[in-house]
Amino acid sequence: MLCEGALFVAMAQVLGFLKLWEFPWGGSVTLSMLPVFIFSVRWGCRNAFLASFAFGLLQFLFDGGFALTWQSMIGDYILAFGVLGLAGLFQGKRWGIFAGAVVGSTARFVVHYVVGATIWAAYMPDEFFGMTMTSPWTYSFLYNGSYMLIDLVLCLVAAGLMYRPLYRFLIGLDLVGAEGRASVTKRGKS
């Protein structure tokens, strides 16, 4: 598990460097969450939180992490990436990679949304996406939602392309012995 976690976190970090689009105050469109989601649905929440926490630290250290205060560092990196591990709630489920991606992405968005509306509110521009900004909550919703939604769609499309050829791997059938396959298959059908 530790070796696989290290490899998946490394893949996530490398994918994080391959930005399709990046906002000036942080947030970018990448496929970096996908390896964390795959690891999460293979190994469950406990292990997933460890991997996603490590990924958050690496994002801050090596991807030009920008924080105003220690609160924004914890919120935008440790918590926001840490909650990606919630995808582990769907461990062994046949559709787990898709549900895990939705739950993990939504949880990350919620953390970024709250941090953006509270800590980053002072940096709200007068206009964003051609709209006049009067509320930091609206601005944070639009700012963080714009890249998080695209990230989620990219992860779902990539998982959909991998699903059929890697089904056994995605639900963790390769991790259990012959006697355990029946129980994982039964769990996967729910």
Side-chain angles (χ1 to χ4, degrees):
M1 184 279 301
L2 285 174
C3 289
E4 191 172 304
L7 288 171
F8 276 96
V9 169
M11 279 190 283
Q13 186 62 34
V14 168
L15 287 172
F17 291 135
L18 305 174
K19 294 174 174 54
L20 302 174
W21 180 46
E22 185 173 20
F23 271 117
W25 292 103
S28 57
V29 175
T30 68
L31 267 172
S32 64
M33 295 187 298
L34 185 61
V36 175
F37 293 147
I38 294 171
F39 179 79
S40 298
V41 297
R42 286 176 53 78
W43 291 97
C45 278
R46 188 180 74 195
N47 299 315
F49 283 127
L50 179 62
S52 57
F53 170 78
F55 179 48
L57 282 176
L58 291 175
Q59 282 290 292
F60 180 73
L61 294 173
F62 296 118
D63 199 29
F66 181 75
L68 289 174
T69 63
W70 63 269
Q71 294 97 333
S72 65
M73 183 191 83
I74 289 173
D76 278 333
Y77 293 95
I78 306 303
L79 287 177
F81 286 93
V83 296
L84 295 177
L86 288 172
L89 292 170
F90 303 97
Q91 178 186 16
K93 302 286 187 201
R94 183 175 59 188
W95 40 269
I97 187 67
F98 303 107
V102 169
V103 168
S105 294
T106 302
R108 180 178 165 202
F109 165 75
V110 168
V111 173
H112 283 308
Y113 172 62
V114 171
V115 170
T118 55
I119 296 172
W120 291 93
Y123 294 90
M124 180 180 77
D126 294 331
E127 188 175 290
F128 187 69
F129 285 151
M131 295 181 282
T132 303
M133 292 290 108
T134 57
S135 166
W137 294 96
T138 303
Y139 170 64
S140 183
F141 182 83
L142 293 172
Y143 186 98
N144 293 298
S146 61
Y147 70 87
M148 286 301 305
L149 182 61
I150 297 169
D151 274 2
L152 171 60
V153 169
L154 284 175
C155 285
L156 291 174
V157 168
L161 292 172
M162 295 186 314
Y163 189 71
R164 178 163 265 165
L166 297 175
Y167 171 74
R168 291 174 38 80
F169 178 76
L170 290 175
I171 68 164
L173 281 177
D174 61 319
L175 300 175
V176 294
E179 67 282 348
R181 285 194 178 115
S183 66
V184 170
T185 303
K186 285 179 188 173
R187 281 188 310 181
K189 291 184 180 185
S190 59

